[in-house]
Amino acid sequence: MNPLRLSDAALLAQCELDRFRGSGPGGQKRNKTESAVRLRHRPSGLSVVASESRSQHENRGRALRRLRQRIAAQLRQPVDLAGYQVPAELRALCPGATPRLGPRDVAYPLAVQQLLDLFAALRSSVADTGTRLGLSTGATSRMLLAEPWVARAANALRVACGRRPLR
Protein backbone atom coordinates (compact mmCIF):
# COMPACT_ATOMS: atom_id res chain seq x y z
CA MET A 1 0.00 0.00 0.00
CA ASN A 2 1.33 3.39 -0.98
CA PRO A 3 1.77 5.48 2.21
CA LEU A 4 0.62 8.60 0.34
CA ARG A 5 -2.86 7.12 0.03
CA LEU A 6 -3.17 6.81 3.83
CA SER A 7 -4.97 9.30 6.04
CA ASP A 8 -2.86 11.49 8.33
CA ALA A 9 -3.78 9.30 11.32
CA ALA A 10 -2.81 6.07 9.52
CA LEU A 11 0.46 7.56 8.26
CA LEU A 12 1.26 8.87 11.74
CA ALA A 13 0.63 5.35 13.11
CA GLN A 14 3.44 4.08 10.86
CA CYS A 15 5.85 6.65 12.32
CA GLU A 16 7.94 7.08 15.43
CA LEU A 17 7.20 10.49 16.90
CA ASP A 18 9.91 12.29 18.89
CA ARG A 19 9.28 15.55 20.72
CA PHE A 20 12.17 17.76 21.73
CA ARG A 21 13.08 21.32 22.54
CA GLY A 22 13.67 23.42 19.47
CA SER A 23 16.84 25.43 19.16
CA GLY A 24 17.12 29.08 18.21
CA PRO A 25 15.40 32.24 19.40
CA GLY A 26 12.21 32.09 21.40
CA GLY A 27 13.23 32.74 24.96
CA GLN A 28 11.78 31.16 28.02
CA LYS A 29 8.77 29.55 26.29
CA ARG A 30 10.99 27.82 23.72
CA ASN A 31 13.45 26.61 26.35
CA LYS A 32 10.73 25.03 28.53
CA THR A 33 8.47 23.25 26.04
CA GLU A 34 9.12 20.31 23.79
CA SER A 35 7.34 21.69 20.74
CA ALA A 36 9.71 20.48 17.99
CA VAL A 37 8.66 17.24 16.25
CA ARG A 38 10.66 14.56 14.44
CA LEU A 39 8.84 11.87 12.47
CA ARG A 40 10.56 8.66 11.36
CA HIS A 41 8.58 6.60 8.87
CA ARG A 42 9.37 3.03 9.94
CA PRO A 43 8.64 1.22 6.62
CA SER A 44 10.81 3.55 4.51
CA GLY A 45 13.31 4.86 7.07
CA LEU A 46 12.68 8.47 5.99
CA SER A 47 12.83 11.17 8.65
CA VAL A 48 11.63 14.80 8.84
CA VAL A 49 11.77 17.56 11.47
CA ALA A 50 9.51 20.56 12.10
CA SER A 51 10.35 23.11 14.76
CA GLU A 52 9.25 26.49 13.37
CA SER A 53 6.22 26.98 15.60
CA ARG A 54 5.91 27.10 19.37
CA SER A 55 2.91 24.79 18.98
CA GLN A 56 3.61 21.06 18.92
CA HIS A 57 0.30 20.51 17.10
CA GLU A 58 1.29 22.87 14.25
CA ASN A 59 4.74 21.30 14.04
CA ARG A 60 3.21 17.81 13.79
CA GLY A 61 1.08 18.96 10.85
CA ARG A 62 4.11 20.51 9.14
CA ALA A 63 6.14 17.35 9.73
CA LEU A 64 3.38 15.20 8.16
CA ARG A 65 3.29 17.44 5.07
CA ARG A 66 7.08 17.25 4.79
CA LEU A 67 7.00 13.49 5.21
CA ARG A 68 4.48 13.17 2.38
CA GLN A 69 6.74 15.33 0.18
CA ARG A 70 9.83 13.30 1.10
CA ILE A 71 8.03 10.02 0.35
CA ALA A 72 6.84 11.38 -3.01
CA ALA A 73 10.33 12.59 -3.89
CA GLN A 74 12.33 9.57 -2.80
CA LEU A 75 10.21 6.39 -2.96
CA ARG A 76 9.62 5.08 -6.47
CA GLN A 77 6.71 2.80 -7.34
CA PRO A 78 6.93 0.42 -10.34
CA VAL A 79 5.25 1.57 -13.56
CA ASP A 80 3.94 -0.81 -16.23
CA LEU A 81 4.79 1.09 -19.42
CA ALA A 82 3.12 -1.47 -21.71
CA GLY A 83 -0.40 -0.83 -20.43
CA TYR A 84 0.16 2.64 -18.98
CA GLN A 85 -2.91 4.75 -18.26
CA VAL A 86 -2.48 8.19 -16.69
CA PRO A 87 -3.78 7.97 -13.08
CA ALA A 88 -6.56 10.39 -12.10
CA GLU A 89 -4.35 12.24 -9.56
CA LEU A 90 -1.63 12.81 -12.15
CA ARG A 91 -4.19 13.89 -14.75
CA ALA A 92 -5.41 16.54 -12.26
CA LEU A 93 -1.82 17.84 -11.97
CA CYS A 94 -1.44 18.38 -15.71
CA PRO A 95 -2.04 21.80 -17.30
CA GLY A 96 -5.60 22.25 -18.52
CA ALA A 97 -7.12 19.98 -15.86
CA THR A 98 -10.29 21.20 -14.18
CA PRO A 99 -10.00 21.49 -11.22
CA ARG A 100 -6.23 21.54 -11.21
CA LEU A 101 -4.18 20.27 -8.27
CA GLY A 102 -1.92 22.77 -6.56
CA PRO A 103 0.87 22.44 -3.98
CA ARG A 104 -1.57 22.98 -1.10
CA ASP A 105 -3.86 20.10 -2.12
CA VAL A 106 -3.73 16.88 -0.09
CA ALA A 107 -3.40 14.75 -3.26
CA TYR A 108 -0.49 16.83 -4.64
CA PRO A 109 2.34 14.63 -3.23
CA LEU A 110 0.67 11.50 -4.66
CA ALA A 111 0.32 13.12 -8.09
CA VAL A 112 3.95 14.25 -7.98
CA GLN A 113 5.04 10.74 -6.99
CA GLN A 114 3.16 9.34 -9.99
CA LEU A 115 4.83 11.91 -12.25
CA LEU A 116 8.29 11.09 -10.89
CA ASP A 117 7.61 7.33 -11.15
CA LEU A 118 6.75 7.72 -14.85
CA PHE A 119 9.74 10.03 -15.34
CA ALA A 120 12.07 7.46 -13.74
CA ALA A 121 10.58 4.58 -15.75
CA LEU A 122 11.26 6.53 -18.96
CA ARG A 123 14.91 7.08 -17.94
CA SER A 124 14.31 10.75 -17.01
CA SER A 125 13.35 11.79 -20.53
CA VAL A 126 11.22 14.93 -20.47
CA ALA A 127 10.09 14.37 -24.07
CA ASP A 128 9.01 10.75 -23.50
CA THR A 129 7.23 11.66 -20.25
CA GLY A 130 5.40 14.50 -22.02
CA THR A 131 4.37 12.17 -24.85
CA ARG A 132 2.86 9.67 -22.37
CA LEU A 133 0.97 12.50 -20.66
CA GLY A 134 -0.10 14.19 -23.89
CA LEU A 135 1.89 17.34 -23.05
CA SER A 136 4.62 19.33 -24.72
CA THR A 137 8.17 19.09 -23.40
CA GLY A 138 7.87 22.66 -22.12
CA ALA A 139 4.71 21.90 -20.13
CA THR A 140 6.26 18.71 -18.75
CA SER A 141 9.42 20.57 -17.78
CA ARG A 142 7.35 23.27 -16.02
CA MET A 143 5.53 20.56 -14.02
CA LEU A 144 8.87 19.04 -12.97
CA LEU A 145 10.27 22.43 -11.96
CA ALA A 146 7.08 23.83 -10.33
CA GLU A 147 8.20 23.29 -6.74
CA PRO A 148 11.80 23.27 -5.43
CA TRP A 149 11.47 19.82 -3.83
CA VAL A 150 10.05 18.35 -7.05
CA ALA A 151 12.83 19.93 -9.12
CA ARG A 152 15.49 18.47 -6.78
CA ALA A 153 13.95 14.99 -7.09
CA ALA A 154 13.64 15.23 -10.89
CA ASN A 155 17.22 16.46 -11.25
CA ALA A 156 18.51 13.67 -8.98
CA LEU A 157 16.78 11.15 -11.29
CA ARG A 158 18.30 12.81 -14.37
CA VAL A 159 21.81 12.83 -12.90
CA ALA A 160 21.46 9.15 -11.94
CA CYS A 161 20.66 8.40 -15.61
CA GLY A 162 23.67 10.40 -16.83
CA ARG A 163 21.62 13.35 -18.08
CA ARG A 164 22.17 17.00 -17.34
CA PRO A 165 19.89 18.64 -14.74
CA LEU A 166 16.86 20.69 -15.77
CA ARG A 167 17.04 24.44 -15.28
Side-chain angles (χ1 to χ4, degrees):
M1 176 81 184
N2 188 339
L4 295 178
R5 293 193 182 276
L6 298 175
S7 68
D8 283 349
L11 182 59
L12 196 56
Q14 291 186 342
C15 296
E16 290 177 26
L17 174 72
D18 296 329
R19 294 174 291 275
F20 58 96
R21 291 184 186 142
S23 62
Q28 185 176 9
K29 168 74 174 158
R30 184 106 180 194
N31 295 334
K32 281 182 162 180
T33 61
E34 294 186 346
S35 59
V37 173
R38 178 183 303 112
L39 289 179
R40 281 191 211 99
H41 188 240
R42 286 188 295 268
S44 66
L46 298 175
S47 176
V48 294
V49 174
S51 62
E52 295 86 345
S53 176
R54 292 188 339 184
S55 164
Q56 187 182 106
H57 180 73
E58 287 178 22
N59 284 334
R60 188 178 310 129
R62 280 188 177 101
L64 272 170
R65 279 191 300 279
R66 287 182 187 154
L67 181 61
R68 288 184 185 281
Q69 289 176 352
R70 176 95 26 106
I71 289 170
Q74 294 185 0
L75 293 183
R76 302 281 55 89
Q77 302 290 322
V79 174
D80 176 24
L81 292 175
Y84 185 74
Q85 295 290 320
V86 181
E89 296 88 359
L90 179 52
R91 189 174 309 286
L93 183 66
C94 294
T98 309
R100 183 150 187 241
L101 277 180
R104 299 250 181 235
D105 289 310
V106 175
Y108 187 77
L110 178 60
V112 168
Q113 184 183 45
Q114 293 168 347
L115 173 63
L116 292 172
D117 290 343
L118 178 62
F119 190 60
L122 294 170
R123 299 206 20 87
S124 303
S125 169
V126 175
D128 292 344
T129 303
T131 300
R132 292 287 179 137
L133 297 174
L135 300 173
S136 68
T137 55
T140 306
S141 181
R142 281 189 294 279
M143 281 176 41
L144 291 167
L145 297 173
E147 292 288 314
W149 65 273
V150 179
R152 281 190 299 274
N155 282 331
L157 290 170
R158 285 186 60 87
V159 168
C161 288
R163 297 179 187 262
R164 65 178 179 77
L166 299 172
R167 288 184 267 132

